[in-house]
Amino acid sequence: MYPLGDSAVILEFGNKINHETNEKVLAAAQLLRNDPFQGMIEVVPAYTTLTVHYDPLQVRSSFPYETICREVTLRLEKAPFRRPSKGRIIRIPVCYDKKFAVDLSFVAEFNGLSEKDVIDIHSSTTYDVYFLGFSPGFPFLGGMNEKIATHRKDSPRAKILKGSVGIAGGQTGIYPLETPGGWQIIGRTPMPLLYLDQTHPTLLQPGDQVEFYPITCEEFAEMEGMRWGSE
Amino acid sequence: MGVRIIKGGLLSTIQDGGRHGYQAYGFVVGGAMDSWAMKLANRIVNNDLNAAVIEMTMIGATFEFDENTYISICGADMSPTINDIPVRNGKAIFVKIGDVLSFKQAREGCRTYLAVSGGFNVAEVLHSKSTYLNANIGKRLESGDVLSIYQASNIPNLKQRLSPSVFTYMNQTTIRYVEGRHAHWFSSELEGETYKINIQSNRMGYRLNGPILRTTVDDQVITEGTTFGTIQVPPNGQPIILMADRQPTGGYPKIGEVITADLRILAQRKPGDEIEFKKVTLQEAQKIYREQAKTIQILEKMKG
């Protein structure tokens, strides 16, 4: 447990990015959300860490940090580690056409594969949503096949279109909003990732699983006009 | 009916106490950069401390009132006038239908907060009225926009005025920080060093120019949580302080975190200004923050 300034603390569950560590992070997040301590604001999972934000003014103690460390430890110790309930499997359509996949040929060439190989590999894996970050609803997905791993662009693009699916190192993810970004773009989904009027404002949540499936440009155009529901 | 924007200023947005509870979905917390000034402005007109206010940056806006109400102005001095007659920061002011409130460039500090009695009635997104332009939540205030305001529940005390000493922090340059969890990765520390705020600084982060900070360990941070005030150091060795619109997570090593009590000083520093770092312990930081919050409680007595 490490302090993060005077109003947050970081809990570290490991130092390698993997499924087991992330499961512990998500389980701890669930535990604290279900049983918050006085002054707790919110918890933010990442790959191997959980950040707990708190309001020191609401902790009755001469040294709030010490008190909340005790409160957190107490909660994590008393509950046995429970595997988080299995997340939903969400299938996301991706159009890998050249029109959208501006870096597909680079990713293929870099890994000595054909473009079709890259698409097949990318769309035949079940990914875990480790956490959301970078921008609202942006999923950090674990489990990508290393055969298509490709470094970030040397200089990030000023504008990446909403729905773009990218690769950075051994990770893959989707841009829910138009933002700058340095990932290699290999396709685009017509499925919105943000639902600002809903209690859960994002399509994906940490712990969910994602499967991509290829669609044609015609299907993309058709789906883009659809009204996508959110649960 | 409410407030009509005549000129939007450089960057004027609605902000409140921030969008808490959605960082795990990747949303920024946002909210007022100088939440101290926001709280004082709200306090003066008897609003909830975190009610929505207008945050103006560097160059203020011009407003015309469509109804009689009470307002207050706190933060940087942008030479406010009503119908060309100067008015003061830090007190409740009665405004009538047709009155024009205008602001100029900030003289000291760079952010000014305008509160109206009752608060601004704008749509809430995920339990907050804070504008977050990157996700199209809210908008930059522009000429022609009209903001409605809530019915006020009581009349503020017009005689009370905050002592100008409350705003002396507009001139302060020393920023206190606590050591970050990667501080031992670095061959030098921030203590006593002076940095200049780079022009590429905004609500998301302040980029600093000054002594280069080098890591001595050959290790990478696995993307993890950040907070308002986190001082992270990218490979070029020039620190970046994360501000209100920071991303919830980041992957650069953290050399320190600005203490919450001094975020108001930082929020009022602008590009080109210099800041000097002073280290305190975590226990001191929390004590200083508690002392500062007490002032707001004392001001509670201002309630009319």
Side-chain angles (χ1 to χ4, degrees):
Chain A
M1 217 177 296
Y2 304 87
L4 175 65
D6 54 24
S7 58
V9 52
I10 288 187
L11 317 182
E12 195 174 59
F13 293 87
N15 52 17
K16 290 273 178 303
I17 299 176
N18 59 46
H19 183 72
E20 290 66 39
T21 306
N22 188 249
E23 250 187 357
K24 284 182 195 154
V25 171
L26 298 183
Q30 215 164 53
L31 209 65
L32 288 171
R33 279 196 195 107
N34 294 343
D35 184 17
F37 57 87
Q38 173 76 33
M40 185 175 118
I41 299 172
E42 60 188 303
V43 294
V44 185
Y47 287 116
T48 59
T49 55
L50 182 69
T51 302
V52 182
H53 294 269
Y54 65 95
D55 178 0
L57 300 177
Q58 285 191 41
V59 182
R60 278 174 200 279
S61 139
S62 60
F63 192 14
Y65 171 72
E66 267 182 6
T67 309
I68 76 112
C69 283
R70 212 164 41 236
E71 293 286 332
V72 169
T73 309
L74 214 69
R75 278 163 179 75
L76 298 187
E77 274 174 357
K78 91 176 167 199
F81 170 71
R82 205 176 294 143
R83 209 162 274 272
S85 46
K86 208 73 197 140
R88 306 160 301 167
I89 294 186
I90 293 166
R91 301 194 72 229
I92 297 182
V94 178
C95 180
Y96 293 95
D97 189 86
K98 276 287 198 313
K99 189 160 79 170
F100 303 126
V102 286
D103 301 315
L104 180 61
S105 57
F106 179 80
V107 171
E109 206 174 311
F110 181 78
N111 289 294
L113 299 166
S114 72
E115 293 179 13
K116 188 180 174 300
D117 290 338
V118 175
I119 297 169
D120 287 347
I121 293 170
H122 191 258
S123 59
S124 63
T125 308
T126 302
Y127 301 93
D128 294 312
V129 180
Y130 279 170
F131 70 103
L132 305 178
F134 176 66
S135 78
F138 188 107
F140 283 83
L141 301 175
M144 195 181 75
N145 191 323
E146 285 291 331
K147 281 184 190 155
I148 56 172
T150 314
H151 60 83
R152 283 179 176 78
K153 297 194 82 64
D154 291 339
S155 130
R157 282 195 177 89
K159 197 167 100 174
I160 289 191
L161 294 176
K162 179 177 142 184
S164 295
V165 176
I167 287 176
Q171 322 174 84
T172 182
I174 315 161
Y175 287 82
L177 286 167
E178 185 181 300
T179 51
W183 292 32
Q184 307 282 358
I185 303 304
I186 59 159
R188 196 166 156 200
T189 179
M191 205 166 172
L193 271 75
L194 287 177
Y195 301 85
L196 295 182
D197 53 349
Q198 311 267 339
T199 326
H200 296 294
T202 53
L203 171 71
L204 304 171
Q205 286 164 46
D208 283 344
Q209 292 188 308
V210 166
E211 285 170 4
F212 295 114
Y213 66 98
I215 54 168
T216 63
C217 285
E218 291 72 38
E219 287 169 316
F220 183 96
E222 208 173 291
M223 287 178 178
E224 212 178 17
M226 269 171 58
R227 281 180 61 86
W228 297 83
S230 165
E231 292 160 35
Chain B
M1 288 287 280
V3 186
R4 185 184 304 277
I5 316 296
I6 307 290
K7 274 195 291 191
L10 186 64
L11 172 63
S12 305
T13 57
I14 293 278
Q15 297 295 340
D16 60 13
R19 187 164 284 112
H20 296 283
Y22 296 94
Q23 287 190 73
Y25 298 100
F27 285 82
V28 310
V29 175
M33 287 277 273
D34 179 351
S35 66
W36 171 257
M38 170 196 73
K39 285 174 181 165
L40 291 179
N42 277 324
R43 166 62 63 229
I44 291 167
V45 291
N46 296 332
N47 289 346
D48 286 344
L49 291 179
N50 291 314
V53 297
I54 293 175
E55 177 181 276
M56 293 173 275
T57 310
M58 310 277 278
I59 302 168
T62 302
F63 306 89
E64 183 179 340
F65 290 86
D66 290 347
E67 61 187 278
N68 297 339
T69 186
Y70 296 87
I71 62 163
S72 72
I73 303 158
C74 284
D77 181 359
M78 291 186 175
S79 313
T81 58
I82 292 179
N83 306 330
D84 295 326
I85 298 162
V87 290
R88 290 186 52 161
N89 281 10
K91 67 187 293 285
I93 303 164
F94 177 64
V95 291
K96 299 187 303 297
I97 295 173
D99 278 353
V100 174
L101 168 67
S102 56
F103 294 88
K104 298 190 179 66
Q105 186 162 354
R107 291 202 291 207
E108 278 168 350
C110 76
R111 284 170 232 273
T112 303
Y113 295 85
L114 171 67
V116 297
S117 181
F120 292 100
N121 179 4
V122 298
E124 254 184 25
V125 175
L126 306 173
H127 302 105
S128 166
K129 295 185 165 76
S130 284
T131 299
Y132 178 48
L133 296 174
N134 288 351
N136 302 316
I137 299 174
K139 69 188 290 292
R140 181 189 282 263
L141 297 179
E142 290 166 327
S143 163
D145 291 345
V146 177
L147 297 169
S148 75
I149 57 186
Y150 292 109
Q151 187 74 42
S153 55
N154 49 22
I155 297 168
N157 184 338
L158 291 176
K159 289 202 182 113
Q160 296 263 21
R161 164 187 298 174
L162 291 181
S163 151
S165 68
V166 172
F167 296 110
T168 49
Y169 71 89
M170 295 293 148
N171 301 316
Q172 283 173 21
T173 54
T174 301
I175 307 287
R176 289 169 291 187
Y177 72 101
V178 294
E179 263 189 0
R181 84 187 199 97
H182 307 114
H184 63 282
W185 286 22
F186 293 88
S187 52
S188 54
E189 55 178 339
L190 292 168
E191 169 78 19
E193 297 290 1
T194 299
Y195 282 86
K196 194 178 223 173
I197 298 170
N198 187 301
I199 186 80
Q200 285 183 307
S201 297
N202 52 31
R203 282 184 48 92
M204 186 177 169
Y206 281 12
R207 289 165 183 271
L208 306 181
N209 292 122
I212 305 261
L213 300 162
R214 293 255 175 257
T215 54
T216 54
V217 295
D218 182 28
D219 207 351
Q220 294 245 325
V221 175
I222 300 173
T223 299
E224 61 175 34
T226 62
T227 187
F228 189 172
T230 294
I231 311 165
Q232 58 176 26
V233 184
N236 71 4
Q238 297 285 277
I240 299 172
I241 309 182
L242 300 179
M243 302 298 285
D245 282 355
R246 77 198 150 81
Q247 299 164 13
T249 54
Y252 292 127
K254 303 168 166 101
I255 194 168
E257 276 87 29
V258 174
I259 70 172
T260 304
D262 284 357
L263 291 175
R264 61 179 193 174
I265 302 173
L266 200 55
Q268 295 293 353
R269 302 271 67 77
K270 57 184 183 299
D273 286 352
E274 287 191 337
I275 54 172
E276 191 187 338
F277 286 103
K278 182 177 187 297
K279 188 162 73 177
V280 295
T281 67
L282 180 55
Q283 190 156 14
E284 280 173 297
Q286 296 196 321
K287 192 163 161 266
I288 296 165
Y289 184 38
R290 180 158 296 179
E291 289 301 316
Q292 191 182 77
K294 267 188 198 151
T295 317
I296 294 240
Q297 285 156 18
I298 293 164
L299 293 169
E300 184 102 12
K301 290 175 188 151
M302 282 184 61
K303 277 197 169 187

